[in-house]
Amino acid sequence: MQTDLDPEPESRVEGGGQAGPTSGRGHGQLSRLRSSSLEIKEKEIREKGSEILREQLDAAKKELKLKDKECERLSQVRNQLEQELEELTASLFEEAHKMVREANVKQAAAEKQLKEAQGKIDVLQAEVTALKTLVLTSTPSSPNRQLHPQLQSSGTRGAYKHVGGHVRNKSASGGFPTSSGKPEPSPVSVQPKEDREIDSVLFAEFLMWKEHPSLDRSSAFLSRIYSEEIGPCLSFTRSELSQLVQSAVESNSLTIEPVAMSALPMVKASAIECGGPKKCALSGMSRLCRHRIKLGDKGSYYYISPSSRARITAVCNFFTYIRYIQQGLVRHDAEQMFWEVMRLRREMTVAKLGFYLTDQG
């Protein structure tokens, strides 16, 4: 806004010429009008601009609020998805752990059943082996009392009586009636009764072995039997085959079977090491061989003489019995077990000296 500095305005002279005081005042009023109109326009422009800015600001605020709501909604959706994902992961892990636990339980049950089945199989195999050995060692002239329990009975039922390790016929002890009606006593050979006494050293070795029974020959009990009975009993002329026979007996994989004499095959020269119907493969001596052996899964058969069979069978009987002790199948006390072991050792000793029973009839 401009200020009029003229203290006494003069009137403007009409019709030209030099302006007077009146024309000067008119020019000042015009200037004031112009400046005021400019101020009004500027004010209007400022107000209109402020109004536009306020409208834009309000619109921006509204848009910002909408975006805040959208962000909040998206955040809620994200939280919900994360929660659902965590729940799903937890349920999957729980289901996986449950499946693993069930699988472990089933595996443990299957392993337990397998061990029980293997134990039963071992017991059955031991029983079959023992029965096979008993059958092979029973002959008409010398029946095995474990296969024929009626021979062990006494009194009126027993036809035989066991006294001191000898067998005699009870009918021979009775008298035959004579013409006078009185029985005449018949002569009877009285056998001396066998007595026995426990060797303290042998019994102590057996008790130490019985605490932890095994087939390891390092124990004093088995080491003595190997050196005194098993080794000499299975020591034949053919040393290499003897070692194979001993290994098969120890691993319980030796088979003895009778040979039908009418169906014996002809032995070729290439198979002479296996012996033949009239030659023992172990001793190399000419003997009538009624049995043959097979070592494990090998396809070869070896013909053996009755003496060789008796020696092998005696050792097999001993191993069968100590395997029964090892497996806990023998329910006798320690002294009874010891005397049975001594009896089996005596059988091996007798067999290695060449004594054996023959089939008659």
Side-chain angles (χ1 to χ4, degrees):
M1 179 180 296
Q2 295 180 358
T3 307
D4 191 2
L5 300 178
D6 296 333
E8 293 181 359
E10 299 180 25
S11 61
R12 185 175 297 177
V13 180
E14 294 181 359
Q18 188 177 0
T22 304
S23 62
R25 284 195 297 269
H27 181 70
Q29 291 177 355
L30 181 60
S31 298
R32 283 194 298 270
L33 290 174
R34 287 179 180 175
S35 61
S36 60
S37 62
L38 290 174
E39 289 175 355
I40 293 172
K41 287 181 180 181
E42 288 176 359
K43 185 177 180 181
E44 290 176 354
I45 291 172
R46 283 197 300 268
E47 290 176 354
K48 190 173 291 185
S50 299
E51 185 177 356
I52 292 172
L53 291 176
R54 279 194 297 270
E55 289 177 356
Q56 291 178 354
L57 181 60
D58 294 337
K61 288 181 179 180
K62 290 181 181 179
E63 186 176 358
L64 185 59
K65 288 181 180 179
L66 293 175
K67 289 185 177 181
D68 290 338
K69 290 181 180 179
E70 183 68 16
C71 290
E72 185 178 358
R73 187 183 67 82
L74 292 176
S75 178
Q76 292 177 356
V77 171
R78 185 190 64 184
N79 294 335
Q80 185 177 359
L81 290 176
E82 289 178 351
Q83 184 178 1
E84 291 177 356
L85 181 60
E86 290 177 356
E87 293 176 353
L88 179 61
T89 304
S91 63
L92 289 176
F93 272 108
E94 184 178 358
E95 187 69 22
H97 285 303
K98 182 179 179 181
M99 294 174 64
V100 170
R101 285 195 301 269
E102 292 177 353
N104 291 335
V105 171
K106 291 181 180 179
Q107 182 179 0
E111 290 177 352
K112 182 179 179 181
Q113 293 177 356
L114 179 60
K115 289 182 179 179
E116 293 177 352
Q118 288 177 345
K120 292 179 181 178
I121 290 173
D122 293 339
V123 173
L124 291 176
Q125 287 179 346
E127 292 177 355
V128 169
T129 304
L131 290 175
K132 185 187 295 184
T133 304
L134 293 175
V135 169
L136 293 176
T137 56
S138 179
T139 61
S141 61
S142 178
N144 195 310
R145 290 178 176 80
Q146 296 183 13
L147 287 177
H148 307 281
Q150 67 272 16
L151 300 181
Q152 298 178 354
S153 60
S154 59
T156 58
R157 289 184 56 194
Y160 296 90
K161 186 177 181 181
H162 185 272
V163 179
H166 300 277
V167 178
R168 62 184 177 89
N169 197 324
K170 284 188 65 179
S171 62
S173 64
F176 295 96
T178 60
S179 58
S180 62
K182 295 181 180 180
E184 180 179 348
S186 60
V188 178
S189 60
V190 179
Q191 299 291 341
K193 184 179 179 181
E194 183 183 54
D195 205 355
R196 60 191 186 185
E197 181 180 351
I198 291 181
D199 186 291
S200 59
V201 176
L202 299 181
F203 190 58
E205 291 177 352
F206 173 74
L207 291 179
M208 289 181 62
W209 174 84
K210 185 176 174 296
E211 290 181 359
H212 303 285
S214 68
L215 299 181
D216 185 7
R217 66 174 70 182
S218 62
S219 64
F221 168 70
L222 284 182
S223 177
R224 179 187 297 273
I225 298 177
Y226 262 97
S227 62
E228 296 180 0
E229 280 87 26
I230 297 176
C233 199
L234 295 181
S235 178
F236 297 95
T237 304
R238 293 189 57 190
S239 59
E240 183 177 353
L241 183 58
S242 300
Q243 292 295 328
L244 295 177
V245 170
Q246 180 173 329
S247 299
V249 172
E250 291 172 347
S251 62
N252 199 21
S253 60
L254 183 139
T255 304
I256 304 178
E257 61 182 29
V259 179
M261 301 305 295
S262 60
L264 283 174
M266 295 299 294
V267 180
K268 299 180 181 179
S270 61
I272 203 68
E273 64 175 4
C274 297
K278 295 184 178 181
K279 185 175 182 181
C280 179
L282 288 170
S283 64
M285 301 179 65
S286 297
R287 293 289 186 272
L288 184 62
C289 301
R290 297 181 178 274
H291 292 82
R292 62 183 184 178
I293 60 175
K294 183 180 179 183
L295 307 178
D297 296 332
K298 296 181 179 180
S300 301
Y301 285 91
Y302 300 92
Y303 291 87
I304 57 174
S305 64
S307 175
S308 299
R309 170 183 175 253
R311 293 164 68 173
I312 295 174
T313 303
V315 179
C316 288
N317 290 341
F318 170 76
F319 273 102
T320 298
Y321 188 70
I322 64 172
R323 285 194 187 98
Y324 278 3
I325 297 177
Q326 181 186 13
Q327 296 170 5
L329 301 178
V330 182
R331 302 303 181 187
H332 297 159
D333 56 25
E335 185 174 344
Q336 290 176 315
M337 294 182 189
F338 172 77
W339 282 120
E340 180 63 19
V341 169
M342 293 300 105
R343 185 187 69 80
L344 295 171
R345 290 185 64 180
R346 182 173 62 182
E347 286 187 0
M348 290 188 286
T349 301
V350 171
K352 77 181 178 182
L353 293 176
F355 294 95
Y356 61 92
L357 299 173
T358 58
D359 298 339
Q360 298 177 354

